[in-house]
Amino acid sequence: MSIEDDPPPPSKLSRAKEEWARARRGLSGQPPSPARPRLPPGQRETADFPVLDLGDQPNLSVKDWSLSVGGQVETPIRWDWQTFLAQPQTEIVSDIHCVTTWSRYDNLWAGVSARHLLAMARPRPGVKFLLLRSFDGYTTNLSLEDFGDEDVLLAHSWQGKPLSREHGGPVRVVVPKLYFWKSAKWLRHITFSDRDTPGYWELRGYHDRGDPWAEERYK
Ligand SMILES: Nc1nc2c(c(=O)[nH]1)N[C@H]1C(S)=C(S)[C@@H](COP(=O)(O)O)O[C@H]1N2
Ligand SMILES: [Mo]
């Protein structure tokens, strides 16, 4: 047996790399825990669930509600309430960070994952953005990458109960990693596109992306 068959004793670098592998360093979405504090800069935690919107809260029964998905997709979608509930259901616990500086921890949401919707609609090559459109006329834009995050949900329930009208029932979007204005209530339509279209607040001085940890509040 030749000595070359044995691996060399670990160098400082290879020990470091083993450590990085154990910590899964570099894997998207899972930074080592101290890298990202739970409370983003400038936020304070609250136990309340404030209501913020344009002031017109649509009164939709589930019979009136449907979601359409169009633009640059292979398979346009229209889901009425029954069809929406027949999709695979996901539960997610996530934190809310509102640009007005309140954060609310540990919200249990239930609904259909954005990833499932993407798998069904299949955005065409070149699509990089989408616009959410709501029953009150509200709009907000997202990158395809942010919408496709594993924790993004089209939610119909909060804390185990149907989502109330004031919080966006029957169905709202929840994008936990961005400020809450990106989480459209009373969701009506999603348009996929190769171009970015600013929404209601983005046209009024809010940041295009809205990452709370980077304090992307305003332009
Ligand atoms: N359809 C619709 N969605 C909306 C809004 C709105 O006015 N209309 N306001 C946004 C803003 S600015 C915030 S902070 C959150 C507030 O959600 P909440 O009322 O459930 O706390 O909803 C977002 N989604
Ligand atoms: Mo907001």
Side-chain angles (χ1 to χ4, degrees), residues 52-53 98-100 102 138 179-182 201 206:
L52 289 107
D53 51 53
C98 177
V99 72
T100 60
W102 58 270
Y138 185 78
Y179 284 123
F180 209 32
W181 88 75
K182 294 291 186 180
W201 284 117
Y206 281 34

Side-chain angles (χ1 to χ4, degrees), residues 59-179:
N59 193 2
L60 298 160
S61 80
V62 295
K63 280 193 241 84
D64 302 328
W65 180 86
S66 72
L67 169 66
S68 54
V69 179
Q72 296 165 17
V73 294
E74 300 297 341
T75 315
I77 286 175
R78 190 178 165 281
W79 285 340
D80 62 14
W81 181 248
Q82 289 308 322
T83 316
F84 178 73
L85 291 185
Q87 308 303 311
Q89 300 289 309
T90 303
E91 286 197 342
I92 283 179
V93 175
S94 60
D95 298 345
I96 296 170
H97 306 295
C98 177
V99 72
T100 60
T101 75
W102 58 270
S103 292
R104 191 186 190 286
Y105 290 168
D106 292 328
N107 301 274
L108 171 63
W109 302 101
V112 175
S113 72
R115 287 200 173 171
H116 173 69
L117 181 138
L118 290 170
M120 301 302 285
R122 295 185 296 141
R124 297 213 175 106
V127 166
K128 292 204 167 61
F129 305 98
L130 54 129
L131 189 69
L132 307 176
R133 194 178 294 276
S134 299
F135 280 92
D136 62 343
Y138 185 78
T139 52
T140 190
N141 57 325
L142 291 165
S143 71
L144 181 60
E145 195 182 345
D146 283 333
F147 183 72
D149 213 338
E150 62 186 352
D151 56 2
V152 176
L153 214 58
L154 315 186
H156 57 65
S157 295
W158 176 75
Q159 311 294 61
K161 297 194 197 92
L163 193 56
S164 68
R165 172 184 172 189
E166 59 182 3
H167 287 298
V171 175
R172 80 176 300 161
V173 177
V174 179
V175 188
K177 292 196 186 77
L178 299 179
Y179 284 123

